[in-house]
Amino acid sequence: YTNLFNHAIRKFNNGNYANLIIITSDVIMSKEAIEYTSNFANGELGKIGIWSLQTDKLSRDHSNPYDANKHNSYVTTCIEGFFQVMNKVVVKKHKCIPLEINKFGVCIDIYSAEISAQLNKYLVIDTHFNIHHPQEKGYDYNEAHNYDCQFFKWVIEQINQI
């Protein structure tokens, strides 16, 4: 996942794009949700640093569990990394992540959220449509988290340079 993320950051920085839609895992979404996301991502995000659709109640989502009572977009403290629209000013502050400290892409969402916070941009969950993220993982959880200390040290170093 890290390599996919790094490639997206490099490609974005070498192009002329409005904002970055990044999907780093399996997600299932309706055609209407895809169109809605595309239209949103091509607009001006202003104070929004990172935006995502709400995940459904059967999804694997640690930070923003499904809430049937939420009917409007809301600001949150973290957005899962498997599906995001990133403001171009947030993307431009990302550095490519060394694979030797995080080859699985675990916690990249925290890195992106910290950049957004440093730039005084909001993290927003949009409840107009739901997406589904399967419960299964494509990697060994314990092996992936063996890199946490090295990765978080690297994140702190990068955030301190903003």
Side-chain angles (χ1 to χ4, degrees), residues 10-80:
R10 281 192 299 272
K11 185 155 180 73
F12 184 91
N13 286 331
N14 290 326
N16 185 23
Y17 304 99
N19 299 293
L20 175 65
I21 299 174
I22 186 157
I23 302 170
T24 59
S25 190
D26 301 337
V27 293
I28 300 167
M29 51 197 304
S30 68
K31 182 177 180 180
E32 294 81 11
I34 293 168
E35 290 174 15
Y36 182 79
T37 299
S38 180
N39 290 335
F40 185 86
N42 283 314
E44 177 58 43
L45 297 187
K47 289 295 288 176
I48 299 173
I50 303 172
W51 173 94
S52 185
L53 292 173
Q54 176 175 255
T55 52
D56 66 20
K57 61 184 172 184
L58 299 176
S59 290
R60 179 172 53 97
D61 184 341
H62 308 295
S63 59
N64 297 292
Y66 175 79
D67 185 345
N69 296 316
K70 290 185 177 172
H71 299 292
N72 297 307
S73 299
Y74 62 94
V75 174
T76 186
T77 56
C78 190
I79 291 180
E80 295 285 346

Side-chain angles (χ1 to χ4, degrees), residues 5-6 9-10 13 90-98 111 115 151 154 158-159 161-162:
F5 183 84
N6 287 343
I9 296 297
R10 281 192 299 272
N13 286 331
V90 174
V91 179
K92 295 285 186 186
K93 293 294 183 179
H94 277 80
K95 303 282 193 264
C96 287
I97 299 164
Y111 174 43
I115 291 172
F151 178 64
W154 181 86
Q158 303 313 306
I159 296 301
Q161 294 177 21
I162 294 177

